[in-house]
């Protein structure tokens, strides 16, 4: 198969929030280790899982820990391992144990909102990390331009199909979890590239399905059903990340189609890069996770010390209409 593509996502890292909710830093001493409210600065972080992508444990945890240790602040980083009850329990424990800042990667917006609302009611500063909690009350949001990430995936698949000289290829879309706003944004990005191809008749739109909780095992089952449904006539797969892409590739291998059907991904995981080198995956998107983690850590450290963070940009939460949260 053709040589693989490594696309690089623009590091559009945003810190979003309502300044009015950041608290009053009058009388705070940022050098004393006190947040101005009599509490020792302590940061709680809840990661979502380790199954959907290995980035959460191998990259995000590592970079956040390094930043917190370098700043000399107390912190507690836990992983909910995809369990909503565990997610809420971890949040309760962190708040009870004196967290002055809570940073979360939500499992879904409902659970995330409940956690954020409780933290806010306890005077804890809140940050949405990587994923926006729709309808939530996080004061800040740190992430990439996820529509741009999806667009890179769409453009990558088009490049792969063009290089293979594919004629009116049937393209299947394997989206991420429908409860993850990022998955919606990724899809918005790659559909902005693919839909014009469908409309023009250059490509044929094949099966298009969401994968609950980004579950890679379910993704394999779903793709196998797609392949059966189309009589094996799928010529390209827009898989929303490397984990889903690897699940697709495992099914293609069973049918001796690996390397013949271009498959996308993102996150530039070890598995994804290995699949590219093997010729089984046509592209991935590299996101500079260290930059994202460092930006979030700097924000959290400042908030934990009672510092207000200036913001200059906004993001609109579709669940609260025109209401927007400011960002820097």
């Amino acid at each position: 198969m053709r040589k693989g593509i490594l696309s690089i996502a623009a590091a559009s890292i945003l810190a979003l929030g309502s300044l009015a909710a950041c608290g009053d830093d009058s009388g705070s001493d940022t050098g004393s280790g006190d947040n101005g409210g009599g509490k020792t600065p302590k940061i709680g972080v809840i990661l979502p899982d380790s199954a959907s992508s290995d980035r959460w444990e191998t990259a995000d945890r590592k970079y956040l820990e390094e930043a917190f240790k370098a700043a000399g602040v107390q912190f507690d980083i836990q992983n909910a391992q995809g369990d909503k009850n565990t997610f809420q329990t971890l949040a309760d424990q962190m708040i009870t144990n004196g967290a002055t800042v809570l940073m979360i990667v939500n499992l879904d917006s409902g659970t995330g909102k409940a956690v954020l609302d409780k933290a806010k009611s306890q005077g804890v500063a809140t940050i949405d990390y990587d994923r926006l909690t729709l309808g939530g009350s996080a004061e800040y949001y740190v992430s990439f331009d996820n529509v741009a990430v999806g667009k890179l995936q769409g453009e990558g698949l088009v490049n792969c199909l063009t290089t293979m000289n594919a004629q009116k290829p049937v393209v299947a879309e394997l989206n991420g979890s429908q409860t993850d706003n990022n998955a919606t944004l990724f899809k918005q990005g790659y559909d902005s590239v693919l839909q014009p191809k469908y409309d023009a008749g250059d490509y044929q739109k094949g099966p298009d399905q969401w994968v609950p909780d980004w579950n890679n095992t379910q993704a394999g089952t779903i793709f196998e059903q797609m392949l059966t449904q189309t009589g094996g006539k799928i010529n390209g797969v827009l898989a929303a990340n490397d984990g889903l892409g690897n699940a697709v590739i495992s099914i293609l291998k069973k049918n001796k189609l690996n390397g013949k059907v271009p498959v996308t991904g993102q996150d530039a995981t070890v598995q994804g890069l290995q699949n590219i080198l093997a010729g089984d995956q046509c592209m991935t998107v590299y996101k500079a996770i260290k930059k994202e983690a460092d930006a979030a850590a700097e924000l959290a450290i400042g908030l934990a010390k009672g510092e207000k963070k200036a913001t200059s940009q906004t993001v609109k939460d579709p669940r609260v209409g025109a209401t927007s949260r400011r960002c820097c």
Side-chain angles (χ1 to χ4, degrees):
M1 188 175 171
R2 65 182 301 285
K3 187 176 180 182
I5 300 170
L6 177 66
S7 297
I8 300 177
S12 301
I13 302 177
L14 308 175
L16 308 145
S18 171
L19 290 179
C22 290
D24 183 1
D25 66 349
S26 59
S28 65
D29 180 358
T30 59
S32 68
D34 186 274
N35 70 349
K39 293 183 180 179
T40 300
K42 187 172 183 180
I43 301 166
V45 179
I46 307 177
L47 301 175
D49 61 66
S50 55
S52 65
S53 176
D54 63 12
R55 64 164 282 190
W56 303 116
E57 287 297 327
T58 62
D60 297 87
R61 177 188 287 274
K62 171 187 173 184
Y63 298 134
L64 290 170
E65 283 183 347
E66 288 175 353
F68 296 149
K69 286 178 180 178
V73 297
Q74 294 184 35
F75 65 92
D76 182 15
I77 302 177
Q78 298 291 336
N79 194 311
Q81 295 301 350
D83 188 290
K84 295 175 187 178
N85 290 329
T86 299
F87 192 97
Q88 291 183 306
T89 298
L90 289 172
D92 289 343
Q93 290 172 345
M94 289 177 179
I95 293 170
T96 299
N97 291 336
T100 54
V101 177
L102 183 65
M103 182 192 305
I104 69 167
V105 187
N106 71 65
L107 292 175
D108 63 32
S109 287
T111 307
K113 174 176 167 47
V115 163
L116 292 169
D117 288 351
K118 182 169 185 179
K120 184 176 180 181
S121 73
Q122 299 293 316
V124 177
T126 50
I127 302 170
D128 268 334
Y129 180 62
D130 198 72
R131 298 174 182 169
L132 180 65
T133 300
L134 299 181
S137 55
E139 299 161 58
Y140 294 87
Y141 167 49
V142 181
S143 191
F144 294 96
D145 182 338
N146 294 304
V147 174
V149 171
K151 189 175 179 184
L152 286 172
Q153 291 177 294
E155 291 171 345
L157 183 59
V158 169
N159 287 336
C160 294
L161 290 167
T162 300
T163 300
M164 296 178 71
N165 197 30
Q167 301 299 310
K168 292 192 176 180
V170 175
V171 175
E173 297 185 24
L174 202 61
N175 313 302
S177 174
Q178 202 162 13
T179 61
D180 177 0
N181 187 57
N182 280 5
T184 300
L185 298 177
F186 298 145
K187 183 169 175 59
Q188 181 182 331
Y190 52 72
D191 278 352
S192 73
V193 176
L194 297 176
Q195 192 61 48
K197 294 286 188 182
Y198 301 144
D199 293 342
D202 298 330
Y203 291 2
Q204 298 178 61
K205 185 172 177 61
D208 182 352
Q209 195 164 336
W210 301 89
V211 178
D213 302 321
W214 292 91
N215 187 291
N216 295 336
T217 301
Q218 282 189 256
T221 300
I222 290 169
F223 181 69
E224 192 159 31
Q225 292 168 347
M226 288 180 170
L227 209 55
T228 300
Q229 174 188 339
T230 59
K233 296 186 187 216
I234 290 178
N235 308 110
V237 183
L238 195 302
N241 74 356
D242 287 348
L244 302 187
N246 189 58
V248 168
I249 289 166
S250 68
I251 302 303
L252 291 175
K253 285 179 177 178
K254 282 174 59 177
N255 291 274
K256 296 185 172 33
L257 292 171
N258 57 305
K260 300 175 184 177
V261 178
V263 179
T264 67
Q266 72 156 303
D267 288 337
T269 63
V270 171
Q271 182 68 69
L273 295 173
Q274 288 174 340
N275 284 335
I276 287 177
L277 291 173
D280 294 333
Q281 182 170 323
C282 82
M283 64 84 65
T284 191
V285 180
Y286 169 73
K287 296 187 292 190
I289 295 171
K290 187 176 189 304
K291 288 186 178 181
E292 183 184 30
D294 285 350
E298 180 182 0
L299 174 65
I301 291 163
L303 291 174
K305 293 180 177 181
E307 300 170 3
K308 287 185 177 180
K309 291 298 178 180
T311 60
S312 60
Q313 301 177 52
T314 61
V315 63
K316 286 190 177 180
D317 184 334
R319 288 197 184 171
V320 272
T323 301
S324 60
R325 283 175 273 172
R326 283 172 284 183
C327 69
C328 60

